[in-house]
Amino acid sequence: MKILFKFICFLFLGIASIYGQTNSIAGKITSNGQVIPFVNVYLQNTSLGTATNENGFFELKNIPNGKYILILSSVGFNSQKMIISFSGGEKLIKNFILDENSALEEIVISGTLRPVIKSNSPVPVEVYRETFFKKNPTPSIFESLQNINGIRPQLNCNVCNTGDIHINGLEGPYTFVLIDGMPIVSGLSTVYGLTGIPQSLIERVEIVKGPASTLYGSEAVGGIINIITKKPSNTPILSTDVMTSSWGEVNTDIGLRYKASEKVQGLLGINYFNFQNRIDNNNDNFTDLTLQNRISIFNKINIKRKNNKVFNIATRYMYEDRWGGEMEWQRQFRGTDQIYGESIYTNRWETFGTYELPTFEDISFQFSANGHYQDSFYGKDAYDATQLIGFGQFVYNKKIAKKHDFLLGVAYRYTFYDDSTFATLDENGTANKPAISHLPGIFLQDEIALNNQNKLLLGTRWDYNSLHGNIFSPRINYKWNSKDNSDIFRISIGNGFRVANVFTEDHAALTGAREVEFDGELQPETSWNANINYVKKITTENFYVTLDASAFYTYFENRILPDYETDTNKIIYANLNGFSVSKGLSLNTDIIFTNGLTINAGATLMDVSITENSIKTRQILTESFSGVWSISYKFTNNFSMDYTGNVYGPMRLPLLGENDPRAANSPWFSIQNIQFTKKFTKSWEVYGGIKNILNFTPPANSINGADNPFDIGIDTQQNPELAFDPSYMFASNQGIRAFLGIRYTLF
């Protein structure tokens, strides 16, 4: 009996010791950088389980020793399984990232002009969300695009720092910028319109590389950038973001959601940027960064209607006062030849919206209008301009026989442009004659689902330009995907066209001492583009990888390029008597690790050339190689780090003849930034870091003739290399600087 009692006690103590060595596992679950609450976390075939809290945290306690299958599941996300084992008293801390379920995958609209799941779109669309741009916060969306592969914000003037966006080596006028799918930024606003958009209201940015004229018409040659703003219903009550830098820049973003009535919800946004610090680190007596005072006000209203029909309208107003020039410049020198300065006053308004007709069929009316007023002096030369653009289109979407998604659109665009240059003089060159153009058009598109894995998109567009006549723009796209969507292959062939307006698009035509000359009447440019795209998704227990590779080829006819070299005293604009080619390869990769580390990287290798009279030359201000990266790590205490950067290969630069002392090509250069972010509560967040940590700036002699900007006493015909010229520009003069910001969000 005693032996039996001792055996039972020994058995009991043994079991207690085994189960007494309990274990635990804890961590955080996120998706696309956002925490996921209420995720089910449990051990398969046991009763042990829990759910994440509102901050995405979970903890499983009292786990006996052994080997288990940990399962994570939540509606809208792909479930995740992982084998874990415990041998005694272990406390594991592990973070997880869930992928969105394909049934609820990201919706895009830019490729086909209608909502479609991104992986199902026959047109490759890149999507960049708010979290991406927060990794390197900037005062404007123009600067924020610098970390996207194949896209380069190009500054066109050393003095006033205005710029445009290059896509795959093509200049800014070939990039079509939209807000909520409506053409807002074009002409004058290609240069100035990308600043002042309140970033607190931007939900995502969709990018399509290659011609999109079939859907969007003129200017959509190199690609489109579609800025999608937030819906009032999905926006915090209040969001604020204030940032300052050691250079003295101050940027403030405010977003406010309000409810005007039971049926009317609104979203108000304000952006204010101020920089008034005269800095001349390269000692050329010119400001390294233009002094700016800018305010932008944005208001968007959603009106609730029967049957959930859409009706929204948005407006934006922007005022900017910017100047750059000699350090001694004051307002009283504006427009004089005493002290050189470039002073630009800009007033701009925009409105756009969508109204779904109260019909059984899917018919919507989309509209936009904008006015741009510019009062500026470039030295003693005045440039006053007014541009008004009105746009409207009816779009009819019809599903036919389950396999056809048919789209029919009728569009009209009106453009009024007047300025103080000879571009708007009459045939005799004596009286002012504003340029007015009408552009009616019609487009057809049919998206054909051949089967579950093959899709074909056919589209064509006809426009009639009142100045240039008929223009046709066809396109064809094909997409194949594997059964699990882990492999996607796309082929695109399309046509683009563009009607150029030099003074609104090319800042070099306004600044400096070069004379502008037109060689014949400029005809519309046309281009043909072919693009091959392959996407591969790889999922393992510890990381998730997306590879996105593309090859592109664009052939231009009638291309309009500024000629700096035939006569170094002039900028000659003419249709190219030959052809131009832009071709290359690009690769993007996203790697998301379950431990909180994410890596986004990309590289583009390209060759952009001009062939005229059988002579091939490389295009000015176009790099042959570019790379971007973003490396982020989230620590367990709401602390994160972001390391972002880009690298560019040499570009051919515009010189003032053989005796120009400046280098013919830019060097290899890289702009790198690091940021640290601490989230204290759900509402408060502080961030800070260093921009341009390598302190790269262009050569100090980038502005030629900086000591004599009015060319006093110089015969520029005989000695062109002595002329004042600020067009030698490939990167910002801003060097290393610290920045600090604070965000407050009220939900």
Side-chain angles (χ1 to χ4, degrees):
M1 191 70 181
K2 290 182 180 180
I3 295 176
L4 180 61
F5 177 76
K6 289 181 180 180
F7 175 76
I8 293 174
C9 290
F10 176 78
L11 183 63
F12 175 79
L13 291 173
I15 294 174
S17 64
I18 294 174
Y19 281 91
Q21 298 179 18
T22 57
N23 310 275
S24 67
I25 181 171
K28 183 171 67 173
I29 301 178
T30 60
S31 179
N32 294 322
Q34 300 294 322
V35 298
I36 314 176
F38 315 121
V39 177
N40 294 315
V41 183
Y42 61 94
L43 301 180
Q44 192 175 48
N45 298 325
T46 74
S47 59
L48 296 174
T50 186
T52 57
N53 62 17
E54 62 179 9
N55 296 316
F57 287 98
F58 74 92
E59 184 176 13
L60 279 177
K61 299 180 179 179
N62 301 321
I63 304 174
N65 293 339
K67 191 173 184 180
Y68 303 93
I69 297 177
L70 179 69
I71 296 180
L72 315 174
S73 68
S74 180
V75 175
F77 298 89
N78 293 323
S79 297
Q80 190 174 134
K81 296 181 180 180
M82 179 183 179
I83 298 175
I84 59 175
S85 60
F86 298 97
S87 58
E90 296 180 58
K91 293 183 179 180
L92 296 182
I93 297 177
K94 195 167 185 63
N95 296 324
F96 297 89
I97 297 175
L98 294 186
D99 305 321
E100 292 184 3
N101 188 284
S102 59
L104 296 175
E105 195 181 342
E106 200 157 35
I107 301 296
V108 296
I109 63 173
S110 299
T112 59
L113 208 62
R114 64 181 186 81
V116 61
I117 294 173
K118 179 184 173 183
S119 62
N120 287 343
S121 172
V123 179
V125 181
E126 298 179 20
V127 180
Y128 298 90
R129 293 200 160 269
E130 180 184 19
T131 52
F132 175 84
F133 297 113
K134 284 183 176 180
K135 294 180 180 181
N136 180 29
T138 62
S140 71
I141 191 68
F142 173 82
E143 298 171 64
S144 294
L145 298 174
Q146 64 185 289
N147 285 333
I148 296 179
N149 187 25
I151 293 183
R152 182 170 68 87
Q154 165 68 35
L155 294 176
N156 295 323
C157 174
N158 265 304
V159 181
C160 66
N161 295 159
T162 53
D164 53 36
I165 300 295
H166 289 204
I167 296 182
N168 287 344
L170 300 179
E171 293 93 337
Y174 299 97
T175 300
F176 200 43
V177 181
L178 309 101
I179 300 180
D180 288 341
M182 290 294 96
I184 290 296
V185 178
S186 56
L188 277 174
S189 46
T190 300
V191 180
Y192 302 104
L194 278 172
T195 56
I197 300 175
Q199 294 199 67
S200 62
L201 304 185
I202 297 175
E203 178 183 288
R204 67 183 188 276
V205 175
E206 298 180 3
I207 294 175
V208 177
K209 298 175 181 175
S213 293
T214 301
L215 288 182
Y216 297 101
S218 179
E219 290 146 7
V221 177
I224 64 171
I225 297 175
N226 192 1
I227 300 169
I228 308 296
T229 60
K230 296 177 180 178
K231 297 179 180 179
S233 57
N234 298 334
T235 306
I237 297 173
L238 175 67
S239 59
T240 61
D241 188 342
V242 181
M243 181 179 71
T244 186
S245 78
S246 58
W247 271 48
E249 302 160 286
V250 177
N251 185 71
T252 302
D253 253 340
I254 300 174
L256 176 67
R257 185 188 77 205
Y258 64 91
K259 189 173 184 180
S261 68
E262 289 297 322
K263 294 185 177 181
V264 179
Q265 280 189 321
L267 185 60
L268 178 66
I270 300 173
N271 170 258
Y272 178 68
F273 177 75
N274 185 275
F275 174 70
Q276 301 297 322
N277 193 15
R278 302 183 188 216
I279 295 177
D280 178 25
N281 288 337
N282 60 5
N283 297 315
D284 62 359
N285 199 42
F286 272 73
T287 53
D288 290 346
L289 180 66
T290 56
L291 280 67
Q292 301 167 56
N293 188 23
R294 180 180 67 242
I295 186 167
S296 177
I297 302 173
F298 177 91
N299 188 43
K300 182 177 183 178
I301 295 175
N302 277 7
I303 301 174
K304 188 176 181 180
R305 298 169 59 208
K306 293 181 180 180
N307 301 320
N308 291 322
K309 291 286 186 178
V310 173
F311 182 26
N312 59 61
I313 184 169
T315 57
R316 183 170 80 107
Y317 171 76
M318 186 194 79
Y319 172 78
E320 183 181 67
D321 173 6
R322 72 160 58 204
W323 77 267
E326 293 186 271
M327 295 290 285
E328 302 85 6
W329 190 88
Q330 300 292 336
R331 296 290 177 191
Q332 62 264 30
F333 299 124
R334 192 173 193 261
T336 71
D337 59 0
Q338 294 176 271
I339 303 294
Y340 189 89
E342 296 185 359
S343 171
I344 304 167
Y345 301 150
T346 302
N347 278 280
R348 178 174 176 80
W349 61 265
E350 303 163 352
T351 183
F352 54 93
T354 300
Y355 177 80
E356 286 189 8
L357 273 61
T359 61
F360 291 106
E361 299 290 345
D362 186 1
I363 304 175
S364 62
F365 175 64
Q366 301 171 330
F367 61 91
S368 69
N370 63 74
H372 192 105
Y373 310 92
Q374 184 173 323
D375 171 9
S376 52
F377 277 95
Y378 299 88
K380 61 182 180 179
D381 298 324
Y383 176 70
D384 298 325
T386 298
Q387 180 174 270
L388 301 171
I389 297 177
F391 173 83
Q393 69 181 13
F394 286 94
V395 179
Y396 172 58
N397 194 10
K398 179 70 173 180
K399 186 91 171 177
I400 303 174
K402 294 184 179 182
K403 289 190 175 183
H404 295 264
D405 267 325
F406 181 74
L407 192 74
L408 169 66
V410 180
Y412 171 75
R413 183 174 176 180
Y414 168 85
T415 303
F416 171 92
Y417 174 73
D418 190 18
D419 68 19
S420 57
T421 74
F422 63 83
T424 53
L425 294 178
D426 62 9
E427 292 79 3
N428 300 320
T430 57
N432 187 57
K433 185 182 179 181
I436 298 175
S437 66
H438 304 271
L439 190 66
I442 183 171
F443 55 92
L444 302 170
Q445 177 180 277
D446 187 14
E447 187 174 323
I448 308 167
L450 303 175
N451 52 46
N452 292 334
Q453 293 178 254
N454 293 273
K455 187 174 288 187
L456 185 67
L457 179 71
L458 304 174
T460 187
R461 183 186 184 101
W462 168 84
D463 288 278
Y464 180 79
N465 186 286
S466 58
L467 301 178
H468 300 285
N470 297 308
I471 305 173
F472 292 94
S473 306
R475 79 166 174 180
I476 181 172
N477 299 75
Y478 167 75
K479 183 185 80 77
W480 170 88
N481 60 270
S482 59
K483 291 183 178 180
D484 60 356
N485 257 352
S486 61
D487 296 271
I488 301 174
F489 178 75
R490 298 180 176 97
I491 299 178
S492 306
I493 300 175
N495 172 260
F497 73 92
R498 186 176 76 92
V499 179
N501 191 325
V502 167
F503 286 98
T504 67
E505 297 166 353
D506 192 347
H507 185 77
L510 301 171
T511 188
R514 297 178 190 250
E515 179 185 345
V516 176
E517 181 178 297
F518 291 96
D519 185 2
E521 184 178 351
L522 301 182
Q523 298 300 313
E525 300 177 332
T526 59
S527 68
W528 285 95
N529 172 273
N531 185 290
I532 299 175
N533 174 254
Y534 174 67
V535 178
K536 175 67 176 179
K537 299 178 182 179
I538 304 170
T539 303
T540 71
E541 289 184 358
N542 298 314
F543 59 85
Y544 176 80
V545 180
T546 300
L547 299 173
D548 190 331
S550 292
F552 56 89
Y553 182 93
T554 304
Y555 180 92
F556 284 92
E557 293 178 332
N558 283 342
R559 191 170 182 195
I560 301 168
L561 290 169
D563 179 0
Y564 293 87
E565 297 168 315
T566 299
D567 186 337
T568 54
N569 288 284
K570 297 179 179 179
I571 305 176
I572 302 173
Y573 293 91
N575 287 108
L576 185 65
N577 183 23
F579 61 90
S580 176
V581 171
S582 170
K583 59 184 177 181
L585 303 170
S586 69
L587 175 65
N588 287 316
T589 180
D590 295 334
I591 309 175
I592 303 174
F593 294 89
T594 56
N595 64 359
L597 176 67
T598 62
I599 300 174
N600 311 106
T604 298
L605 184 67
M606 60 187 174
D607 177 19
V608 183
S609 63
I610 303 158
T611 301
E612 191 168 19
N613 299 323
S614 300
I615 299 175
K616 178 181 176 181
T617 57
R618 184 176 161 197
Q619 181 177 294
I620 286 177
L621 290 171
T622 303
E623 68 278 10
S624 58
F625 174 84
S626 65
V628 297
W629 66 85
S630 171
I631 302 174
S632 303
Y633 185 77
K634 294 184 180 297
F635 300 90
T636 56
N637 56 349
N638 286 329
F639 184 73
S640 61
M641 181 197 72
D642 300 290
Y643 170 49
T644 59
N646 50 51
V647 59
Y648 296 105
M651 311 174 203
R652 197 164 70 90
L653 302 173
L655 298 178
L656 294 172
E658 295 180 355
N659 295 323
D660 194 318
R662 298 172 295 182
N665 295 286
S666 65
W668 283 86
F669 71 95
S670 176
I671 306 297
Q672 301 178 26
N673 321 284
I674 191 165
Q675 173 185 248
F676 299 93
T677 304
K678 172 65 176 178
K679 194 174 183 68
F680 291 95
T681 66
K682 188 178 180 181
S683 296
W684 288 98
E685 184 176 296
V686 174
Y687 60 92
I690 300 175
K691 291 183 180 291
N692 195 0
I693 57 180
L694 300 181
N695 196 28
F696 173 82
T697 54
N701 65 340
S702 291
I703 299 180
N704 197 67
D707 57 343
N708 188 12
F710 295 103
D711 292 336
I712 297 174
I714 294 176
D715 185 347
T716 57
Q717 295 289 337
Q718 294 295 322
N719 303 103
E721 70 278 0
L722 300 179
F724 174 68
D725 177 33
S727 61
Y728 185 95
M729 182 71 167
F730 60 91
S732 171
N733 284 314
Q734 269 194 293
I736 188 171
R737 59 202 182 279
F739 67 96
L740 180 67
I742 185 169
R743 299 186 182 105
Y744 173 75
T745 306
L746 178 63
F747 295 93

